[in-house]
Amino acid sequence: ADTVKSQLKRGGKLAPNQVFMTIVQFRPLTVEVSVPEKDLQHVKPGVTGKAVATAFPDVELPATVSEVTPIPVTSGSFAGKIQVKLDGVDGIVPGMNCKLTLVAYEKEDAITVPAAAVFADGDGPRNIVYVAKSDDESEKRTVKIGKKTEQKWEVISGLEAGEKILLKKPEDAK
């Protein structure tokens, strides 16, 4: 505004093709995000979640990924667009910040274990858990691993719901 202030008064003149104003469309609202390369496998068009505006922390808004660039915009980072539904919500305008939470994978009956409780057998893959059998006994079990996060891993087979596993490898384990 300061650069064109002297021109935007009675008798002021603008040069041809000079930009002096940008009109912003308030709706629909699109949140632009930076997607780290490590999360790219989870952030795809159609993935849903919620957006919470910094100014309105008690209002959760439905959000859906609409686009992710196929090529990084900076090293290790991709651009994404998230559509946010604002039905009946006032006060949220372009330029505001929000916290975005996406649900990349959901399975109601999934068996998950702490990532630290899955061990490798020698140089092999991390696919061993130790199931508690009695006070001082455990059973070494090979499991098939599904989806992973930094904290939890899904076990597709080799473990039943309700079985207790050890968080540390037993000292007598081979």
Side-chain angles (χ1 to χ4, degrees), residues 1-5 7-9 13-23:
D2 290 338
T3 59
V4 294
K5 187 175 183 179
Q7 298 159 322
L8 295 177
K9 62 180 181 181
K13 294 184 181 179
L14 294 171
N17 299 316
Q18 180 181 358
V19 177
F20 73 97
M21 179 187 309
T22 301
I23 299 174

Side-chain angles (χ1 to χ4, degrees), residues 93-111:
V93 296
M96 292 179 123
N97 292 311
C98 71
K99 179 180 178 185
L100 187 64
T101 305
L102 298 174
V103 179
Y105 178 72
E106 188 172 40
K107 185 177 176 185
E108 289 291 326
D109 61 346
I111 296 173

Side-chain angles (χ1 to χ4, degrees), residues 67-173:
E67 179 183 336
V68 179
T69 59
I71 297 173
V73 291
T74 61
S75 180
S77 181
F78 295 75
K81 292 187 179 181
I82 315 293
Q83 297 298 318
V84 177
K85 291 189 181 194
L86 292 170
D87 299 337
V89 178
D90 292 325
I92 297 178
V93 296
M96 292 179 123
N97 292 311
C98 71
K99 179 180 178 185
L100 187 64
T101 305
L102 298 174
V103 179
Y105 178 72
E106 188 172 40
K107 185 177 176 185
E108 289 291 326
D109 61 346
I111 296 173
T112 60
V113 298
V118 183
F119 303 95
D121 195 10
D123 290 336
R126 286 180 59 189
N127 65 348
I128 302 293
V129 296
Y130 292 90
V131 180
K133 287 296 181 186
S134 64
D135 291 341
D136 291 333
E137 292 185 29
S138 63
E139 175 186 330
K140 179 179 173 181
R141 203 69 80 75
T142 301
V143 294
K144 182 175 179 184
I145 301 296
K147 302 285 185 182
K148 300 177 186 178
T149 68
E150 289 180 21
Q151 297 85 20
K152 290 185 178 183
W153 288 12
E154 176 187 26
V155 174
I156 295 174
S157 64
L159 196 61
E160 296 295 323
E163 288 186 298
K164 296 184 187 319
I165 62 168
L166 304 179
L167 295 176
K168 292 184 179 178
K169 192 174 190 176
E171 290 183 23
D172 60 348

Side-chain angles (χ1 to χ4, degrees), residues 54-75:
T54 303
F56 301 97
D58 297 332
V59 179
E60 293 182 357
L61 304 167
T64 305
V65 177
S66 60
E67 179 183 336
V68 179
T69 59
I71 297 173
V73 291
T74 61
S75 180

